[in-house]
Amino acid sequence: MKTFYVTTPIYYVNARPHLGHLYTTTIADTVTRFKRQRGFDVFFLTGTDEHGQKIEQAANKRQPQVDVKQHVDEIVAEYLDIFAQFGLNYDHWIRTTDDYHKEAVQELFRLTDKAGYIYKSHYEGWFCVGCSEFKEEEEAGKAPFCPLHDREAERVSEESYFFKLSAFQERLLNYYQENPNFIRPESRRNEIISFVKGGLKDLSVSRVSVKWGIPVPDDPAHTIYVWFDALSNYITALGWGNKTRSGFDKYWPADLQLVGKDILRFHTVYWPAFLMAAGLELPKTVYAHGMWLSGGRKISKELGNVIEPKILIKYFARDYIRYFCLREMVFGLDGDFTYEALINRVNSDLAKGLGNLVSRTLKMVEKYCQSLLPACPKAFSGEVAEKWQEEACQVRDLCLERSKVFENEFNDYNFSRALEAVWEIIARVDKYISDSAPWNLAKDASNQEQLETVLYTSLEALRYITVMLAPILPELSASIWSQMGLMDSPTNISPENLAWAELPSGNKIGEVKALFPTLDKEKLMAEITEEKKKMSENNTVAPVETVPATPETTETTATTPKVEVPPLRPTINIDDFAKIDLRVAQVLEAERVPKADKLLRLVVDVGEEKPRQILAGIAQYYTPEQMLGRKIVVIANLEPRKLRGLESQGMLLAASIGDEGKPVVAGFLEDVPNGARLK
Ligand code: MSP
């Protein structure tokens, strides 16, 4: 049997479960169902990352005091509860505090040491507790500022074990070269390649000042670095290095490791280097997805735009949320989450689109065919004498062709495009029904064959659609299936085994129920607003710690900083302004400019034939990861100029704040096409 191993990152228990965690896990759950439907033996792993300084600190801050294990147990229980409510069907939940994991992490450490890649030395440098990452010094003696956590890194001076990451630069680059699918999407792959080309330093992999973690074998004064510990989960859960679990020979290397773009470097530089050092195979694909924003802003507790899983599940069917996650966000790019957008999607695609097609078709079967699935039309055995028979064949051909597109796009993890293909079938069948007007055909008994052809063709397309949608809408597709009078479950039917014209004629359809009632947007929004208010009053959802889990949750602050407003420049007229060509652009690539601590090199799409390169002095405040995929505003007709030997073909717009001129990059709340002019 073909196997498939899919993983999500393990979630830090320094924050309670939120939309970001649910998103990655929903994608993994959908991919699991998709592969299982196609006969794969799938193993789907998720879990929690429970060690490290920030978790220890959070537990110690609690009043009354609790021990760290109790603290993490409580948060893990919350994760398990939320994930169960969302119907996420993982095969194993790993906890880095599990004994088998600890034993195996020590084994991995031992093995890399034996292979000659670990040495003891002294670490003198900077560490950001928020990132659990050592930071480079940009100015001699000055603490580097972490833009993700809005604070300076801490000075650390201690004995440490080091991993010889520098020994892997060439091997990693060769691996990336030979395995183009290892890092996806392409833009992120380029970013990692240029990072590795810039040189790799050895990595400190133990801390003496951190106690909450796994001790270094034979030197328990040292605790293993939390990322070494966490990354190992992908193999320890399969029994590597321990006797408790099993599956390593069967499932490793992983087929798909899903991660957010903020943690891609750990997964595509450190992780493969650890595996190489231990002589283990590397995962086939690490796919970095984008971040959910809220109302065009980064999700942040202070801004009050956190998307609460408890609210989502209270007001929306879980299939609605799954559908929205896969359809709304282009996989790999950032996406905006608003309740309005979710309601709009449900109403337009599910209620009006799919739901309407199902109910109008089945109601006609009730009315014109005594609730029995009609006979297979002659058109499908090659008898195409009439125009209406030809039309039925056209609908069939479109359905079969779009099904292939769905399959290819999904296999390539282009979920939104895969779903677009399904909705093209829905739109085509809808039009076919409206054009054929079965209600008119029904007025004359001599049209019965034509009427049944229309209904059979529509039902057959619906059977295909339901099978395609089963991994995304598991509950709703099962209901459609039974309403259609079909046996078994769409989940168990591989699309490869579907053949057109095998709809079981004569089956009695089930009771026709409204599956997707249209949501009353105004009423629902009022209820959600009220519920949010109640929750924040009761403080039932306060995060464990104020250090946010991801860059996206960190940057914005609740109150706009007060700055002195600079005096206005002399008046210009409209013709002066018209000389400036401002355009919408999207960042395709982003990287730091070596030896220039302020500059980022961006490659942007301004809607022209070829992307442009621009240099932006924002590197102290924005990481390349934060800029990737963003829509920005560029002065497109600015004379090119050279900075550090690189040509800048334009300039990005940003607000400039305070004495330091801290930049805040301008962007849009709505989606806008690249190249659109601002005026
Ligand atoms: N513990 C580490 C991962 C270790 S894996 C060996 C970690 N945990 S996390 O809880 O902070 O983040 C887990 C995942 O959630 C990351 O992939 C991150 O990108 C994702 N998300 C967190 N916020 C998100 C959004 N707002 N939107 C989408 N995904 C987000 O990092």
Side-chain angles (χ1 to χ4, degrees):
M1 202 185 215
K2 307 165 281 186
T3 58
F4 195 88
Y5 180 31
V6 56
T7 66
T8 73
I10 46 173
Y11 303 112
Y12 267 139
V13 291
N14 72 322
R16 298 218 149 94
H18 58 65
L19 179 67
H21 308 138
L22 287 170
Y23 175 65
T24 325
T25 320
T26 298
I27 301 282
D29 180 278
T30 309
V31 170
T32 299
R33 291 173 196 263
F34 179 91
K35 290 287 175 186
R36 286 210 174 115
Q37 200 185 16
R38 282 146 188 83
F40 283 76
D41 171 345
V42 186
F43 192 76
F44 164 16
L45 177 72
T46 189
T48 32
D49 184 358
E50 305 179 19
H51 288 136
Q53 197 175 2
K54 55 182 166 179
I55 286 151
E56 192 176 10
Q57 282 175 356
N60 291 339
K61 262 194 246 157
R62 275 180 62 173
Q63 287 302 339
Q65 283 252 305
V66 290
D67 76 30
V68 192
K69 182 64 167 61
Q70 185 190 332
H71 171 74
V72 297
D73 283 352
E74 283 173 23
I75 301 161
V76 171
E78 233 178 282
Y79 269 94
L80 294 173
D81 175 44
I82 293 282
F83 278 43
Q85 286 186 47
F86 276 78
L88 298 165
N89 273 330
Y90 47 86
D91 293 295
H92 181 62
W93 185 281
I94 187 167
R95 298 185 57 178
T96 53
T97 49
D98 289 337
D99 285 340
Y100 72 81
H101 172 77
K102 293 192 213 164
E103 175 194 339
V105 169
Q106 290 188 323
E107 179 58 22
L108 187 66
F109 197 95
R110 219 175 271 125
L111 201 64
T112 28
D113 185 16
K114 229 163 122 194
Y117 293 108
I118 301 273
Y119 63 94
K120 202 177 198 178
S121 181
H122 189 83
Y123 182 80
E124 179 76 44
W126 304 97
F127 187 78
C128 171
V129 180
C131 299
S132 295
E133 197 179 7
F134 297 99
K135 299 281 173 186
E136 288 294 316
E137 192 168 79
E138 279 158 6
E139 232 180 278
K142 202 172 162 226
F145 182 78
C146 175
L148 307 186
H149 294 91
D150 204 20
R151 62 177 172 188
E152 286 182 349
E154 287 171 15
R155 189 76 187 160
V156 175
S157 169
E158 58 186 39
E159 191 186 62
S160 174
Y161 284 96
F162 280 79
F163 174 77
K164 282 190 193 162
L165 187 63
S166 56
F168 292 90
Q169 182 175 359
E170 281 315 306
R171 283 172 70 181
L172 284 171
L173 288 171
N174 289 340
Y175 191 82
Y176 302 150
Q177 187 66 32
E178 283 158 19
N179 298 276
N181 279 333
F182 176 59
I183 307 172
R184 293 198 61 201
E186 184 72 17
S187 57
R188 306 263 168 231
R189 178 171 180 261
N190 298 336
E191 177 199 318
I192 295 294
I193 291 177
S194 63
F195 171 76
V196 175
K197 278 189 179 156
L200 293 177
K201 286 202 172 150
D202 291 350
L203 184 70
S204 164
V205 284
S206 77
R207 300 287 306 274
V208 280
S209 53
V210 177
K211 292 283 162 264
W212 180 243
I214 304 173
V216 166
D218 308 320
D219 196 351
H222 284 256
T223 299
I224 295 177
Y225 175 43
V226 65
W227 273 99
F228 189 97
D229 164 355
L231 287 162
S232 315
N233 92 87
Y234 302 125
I235 54 173
T236 66
L238 295 180
W240 185 90
N242 67 81
K243 290 207 170 59
T244 312
R245 307 246 346 127
S246 62
F248 182 76
D249 293 341
K250 187 169 175 191
Y251 294 110
W252 191 256
D255 294 275
L256 176 63
Q257 298 217 261
L258 295 163
V259 297
K261 63 179 184 181
D262 52 333
I263 55 170
L264 184 63
R265 196 178 290 172
F266 295 100
H267 282 83
T268 53
V269 183
Y270 298 177
W271 177 224
F274 297 157
L275 289 167
M276 283 174 173
L280 298 171
E281 278 185 90
L282 270 50
K284 293 178 196 157
T285 295
V286 178
Y287 206 118
H289 63 72
M291 294 290 145
W292 277 110
L293 313 176
S294 172
R297 311 288 296 271
K298 292 174 179 169
I299 293 173
S300 119
K301 181 176 74 87
E302 289 84 358
L303 271 176
N305 63 357
V306 167
I307 309 302
E308 261 312 320
K310 286 177 186 163
I311 295 188
L312 275 175
I313 203 72
K314 179 163 178 187
Y315 293 100
F316 300 93
R318 29 196 210 190
D319 278 6
Y320 290 180
I321 303 163
R322 296 172 72 91
Y323 176 74
F324 184 74
C325 282
L326 279 113
R327 177 65 186 82
E328 191 77 3
M329 178 105 127
V330 175
F331 196 56
L333 297 183
D334 291 348
D336 198 51
F337 185 97
T338 60
Y339 289 105
E340 287 92 337
L342 170 55
I343 297 170
N344 288 345
R345 270 272 169 228
V346 170
N347 284 348
S348 68
D349 297 8
L350 297 179
K352 273 213 202 97
L354 178 61
N356 186 41
L357 178 62
V358 173
S359 66
R360 80 196 292 210
T361 311
L362 291 180
K363 276 191 191 132
M364 286 191 284
V365 175
E366 253 178 3
K367 202 161 164 193
Y368 307 131
C369 310
Q370 298 81 47
S371 294
L372 301 178
L373 295 178
C376 181
K378 291 189 192 125
F380 299 138
S381 39
E383 205 175 296
V384 188
E386 305 286 342
K387 192 161 176 295
W388 50 266
Q389 289 177 318
E390 210 177 294
E391 274 161 9
C393 293
Q394 283 164 4
V395 172
R396 171 197 61 195
D397 295 346
L398 178 110
C399 179
L400 297 178
E401 190 265 327
R402 293 284 98 185
S403 306
K404 286 204 187 96
V405 174
F406 170 82
E407 198 69 18
N408 292 338
E409 294 290 5
F410 201 109
N411 271 316
D412 205 25
Y413 310 123
N414 296 320
F415 307 116
S416 54
R417 265 194 253 147
L419 286 168
E420 265 167 35
V422 177
W423 260 259
E424 278 165 25
I425 307 176
I426 294 176
R428 180 68 187 87
V429 178
D430 242 343
K431 183 173 181 312
Y432 171 59
I433 295 178
S434 301
D435 292 349
S436 327
W439 44 92
N440 287 337
L441 296 173
K443 289 177 191 156
D444 185 339
S446 67
N447 293 328
Q448 189 63 16
E449 189 188 344
Q450 186 181 347
L451 168 68
E452 289 194 10
T453 296
V454 176
L455 293 182
Y456 185 98
T457 307
S458 307
L459 288 161
E460 190 54 338
L462 263 180
R463 191 168 69 100
Y464 271 70
I465 289 168
T466 312
V467 168
M468 281 185 265
L469 291 179
I472 301 122
L473 305 173
E475 291 169 290
L476 291 166
S477 59
S479 306
I480 298 176
W481 200 254
S482 69
Q483 286 196 31
M484 285 176 69
L486 301 172
M487 296 302 135
D488 199 2
S489 150
T491 310
N492 299 334
I493 295 168
S494 172
E496 289 156 12
N497 300 332
L498 277 182
W500 187 268
E502 282 189 351
L503 182 81
S505 306
N507 274 23
K508 193 165 171 37
I509 63 167
E511 190 194 340
V512 185
K513 287 179 278 189
L515 280 173
F516 309 91
T518 305
L519 303 177
D520 181 338
K521 192 161 155 186
E522 242 170 73
K523 187 167 161 272
L524 205 51
M525 285 309 298
E527 284 174 20
I528 291 172
T529 311
E530 190 52 35
E531 185 73 22
K532 279 205 277 192
K533 224 171 91 197
K534 260 201 277 168
M535 274 196 176
S536 68
E537 278 163 13
N538 298 342
N539 207 11
T540 50
V541 290
V544 176
E545 200 201 330
T546 46
V547 177
T550 72
E552 269 54 28
T553 62
T554 66
E555 274 229 324
T556 33
T557 47
T559 46
T560 313
K562 284 204 175 57
V563 292
E564 216 162 283
V565 180
L568 283 185
R569 292 182 177 144
T571 306
I572 59 166
N573 61 32
I574 190 76
D575 296 334
D576 294 330
F577 176 70
K579 286 185 193 153
I580 305 173
D581 204 331
L582 296 174
R583 298 297 177 114
V584 176
Q586 184 166 29
V587 180
L588 304 179
E589 289 174 34
E591 62 174 6
R592 288 182 187 278
V593 176
K595 300 199 184 76
D597 51 349
K598 295 206 171 96
L599 283 185
L600 283 189
R601 187 184 77 86
L602 306 177
V603 175
V604 298
D605 176 0
V606 194
E608 298 162 322
E609 211 170 284
K610 274 171 76 187
R612 297 177 177 215
Q613 166 173 290
I614 61 169
L615 299 172
I618 56 173
Q620 286 173 309
Y621 300 92
Y622 289 87
T623 60
E625 290 82 0
Q626 282 175 293
M627 291 307 295
L628 264 182
R630 264 182 88 141
K631 297 262 180 171
I632 57 172
V633 180
V634 164
I635 308 181
N637 61 340
L638 193 67
E639 203 177 2
R641 64 179 186 135
K642 277 205 164 170
L643 292 165
R644 303 263 174 178
L646 297 168
E647 185 170 86
S648 185
Q649 300 153 338
M651 190 175 119
L652 69 68
L653 287 197
S656 173
I657 295 177
D659 294 341
E660 285 172 24
K662 175 182 171 179
V664 178
V665 174
F668 298 89
L669 294 182
E670 286 93 17
D671 194 20
V672 269
N674 299 341
R677 173 175 278 144
L678 280 87
K679 48 185 193 172

